[in-house]
């Protein structure tokens, strides 16, 4: 059964959101949300929307829709604003608190948007926001640039398709990192980034088990996870193949040994999967 996600285009109807020189947040968020949803559906996820037209629903109604639908994730798309025009630019993502898969997803989305050209302003806690507080599933609110920043608006307009893809990739990379999704697609040769130094890796035996802590299309994300695990004395390695960079920990001859390593990793806060080789 595919994972499900509810995409929320911020504001709508009688609520335009932030406005700048006639530009309304509700229009930008709806166009971008629909584009993201199309990509995710094409990758095999079950996508629902809080709105697909210019209508208004309260944040509470949106949270209740997600809860009633029983989706696995909730992503709300917004544009930011600042009291003084053309003072601040960049993307940031908001979460109820900085823990779990929602934090990983927010960080991955920000990193993907940074690669498009936005300044990465980081992830911030906003426990008071209804769509983050009242949703029962992991929820992230993404502020895709400042609507009263000419720099961000230029980026938004000139790179619209890349922005939609970046947010979708941030979501999918998180699911792969946690061993929750893999559609088996590969990336064309030559697009995977630089070769990984051989000293960082060792081959996995033809038979046995390893514990996968993440799988990424972007080598930088794999490298970041490997370094994080090594700092905690987990013997993490990166193994490229099938269009992905997989971060695994240990090689084990028995399933019990692999299960013990998985227990340690999960206790440290990582979502893992045991892989038979």
């Amino acid at each position: 059964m595919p994972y499900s996600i509810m995409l929320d285009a911020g504001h709508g109807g009688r609520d335009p959101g932030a406005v700048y020189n006639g530009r309304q947040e509700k229009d930008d968020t709806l166009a971008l949300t629909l584009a993201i949803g199309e990509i995710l559906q094409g990758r095999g996820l079950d996508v629902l929307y809080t709105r697909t037209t210019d209508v208004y629903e309260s944040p509470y109604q949106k949270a209740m829709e997600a809860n009633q639908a029983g989706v696995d994730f909730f992503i709300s798309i917004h544009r930011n604003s600042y009291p003084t025009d053309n003072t601040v630019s960049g993307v940031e993502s908001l979460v109820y608190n900085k823990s779990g898969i929602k934090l990983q997803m927010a960080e991955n989305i920000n990193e993907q948007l940074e690669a498009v050209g936005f300044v990465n302003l980081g992830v911030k806690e906003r426990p008071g926001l209804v769509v983050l507080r009242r949703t029962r599933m992991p929820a992230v609110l993404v502020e895709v640039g400042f609507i009263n920043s000419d720099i961000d608006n230029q980026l938004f307009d000139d790179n619209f398709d890349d922005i939609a893809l970046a947010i979708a990739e941030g979501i999918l990379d998180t699911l792969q990192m946690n061993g929750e999704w893999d559609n088996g697609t590969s990336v064309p040769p030559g697009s995977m980034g630089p070769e990984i130094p051989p000293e960082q890796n060792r081959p996995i035996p033809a038979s046995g088990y390893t514990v996968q802590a993440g799988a990424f299309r972007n080598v930088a994300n794999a490298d970041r996870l490997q370094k994080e695990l090594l700092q905690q004395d987990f013997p993490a390695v990166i193994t490229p193949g099938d269009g992905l960079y997989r971060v695994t920990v240990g090689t084990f001859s028995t399933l019990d040994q692999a299960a013990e390593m998985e227990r340690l990793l999960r206790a440290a806060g990582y979502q893992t999967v045991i892989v038979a080789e």
Side-chain angles (χ1 to χ4, degrees):
M1 181 177 179
Y3 279 86
S4 59
I5 184 167
M6 180 164 282
L7 298 179
D8 168 42
H11 307 283
R14 58 182 172 81
D15 174 17
V19 177
Y20 175 65
N21 289 342
R23 184 172 191 144
Q24 300 185 95
E25 181 181 1
K26 69 174 184 177
D27 298 328
D28 285 355
T29 62
L30 180 57
L32 184 57
T33 296
L34 294 176
I36 296 166
E38 185 176 352
I39 295 169
L40 292 177
Q41 284 179 315
R43 301 292 184 89
L45 269 67
D46 185 9
V47 179
L48 293 81
Y49 302 89
T50 58
R51 69 181 181 101
T52 57
T53 58
D54 186 18
V55 297
Y56 173 77
E57 286 188 343
S58 71
Y60 179 80
Q61 286 175 302
K62 294 176 176 183
M64 293 304 102
E65 282 182 19
N67 292 341
Q68 290 167 10
V71 294
D72 298 304
F73 300 94
F74 181 91
I75 305 294
S76 187
I77 303 300
H78 286 254
R79 300 290 313 278
N80 219 333
S81 184
Y82 194 76
T84 307
D85 296 341
N86 293 303
T87 302
V88 180
S89 62
V91 296
E92 63 181 5
S93 290
L94 312 179
V95 293
Y96 180 78
N97 58 38
K98 291 185 178 182
S99 67
I101 194 171
K102 63 182 179 296
L103 174 59
Q104 296 173 0
M105 188 171 289
E107 291 175 337
N108 286 336
I109 290 171
N110 281 9
E111 288 177 5
Q112 292 285 350
L113 288 171
E114 184 178 10
V116 174
F118 286 103
V119 174
N120 186 349
L121 299 176
V123 179
K124 297 177 175 61
E125 294 184 345
R126 290 291 188 274
L129 291 180
V130 172
V131 293
L132 303 179
R133 178 166 54 89
R134 298 305 297 265
T135 43
R136 297 173 184 165
M137 68 292 301
V140 179
L141 189 152
V142 187
E143 298 275 13
V144 189
F146 285 75
I147 200 168
N148 60 340
S149 163
D150 293 335
I151 292 173
D152 282 356
N153 285 338
Q154 190 73 41
L155 274 170
F156 190 95
D157 295 337
D158 291 349
N159 302 277
F160 181 85
D161 291 339
D162 290 337
I163 291 168
L165 180 60
I167 295 173
E169 295 284 11
I171 293 167
L172 296 173
D173 279 348
T174 307
L175 298 182
Q176 289 179 334
M177 178 179 179
N178 288 273
E180 297 190 20
W181 180 86
D182 186 350
N183 71 350
T185 58
S186 61
V187 176
S191 63
M192 294 296 293
E195 287 287 331
I196 299 180
E199 65 270 14
Q200 292 185 5
N201 307 281
R202 60 178 181 275
I204 297 174
S207 62
Y209 303 90
T210 187
V211 182
Q212 181 175 297
F216 306 90
R217 285 180 296 278
N218 188 331
V219 66
N221 290 337
D223 184 61
R224 179 169 59 88
L225 177 59
Q226 183 199 31
K227 289 178 179 176
E228 181 179 308
L229 290 167
L230 289 173
Q231 287 173 354
Q232 300 175 72
D233 295 325
F234 289 113
V237 299
I238 302 173
T239 304
D242 299 325
L244 295 171
Y245 291 99
R246 290 181 169 83
V247 182
T248 59
V249 178
T251 55
F252 307 96
S253 58
T254 70
L255 182 59
D256 286 344
Q257 292 172 332
E260 175 60 18
M261 176 57 74
E262 182 180 45
R263 183 189 67 78
L264 293 173
L265 286 164
R266 286 181 176 269
Y270 297 96
Q271 298 294 318
T272 59
V273 59
I274 295 176
V275 179
E277 297 292 337

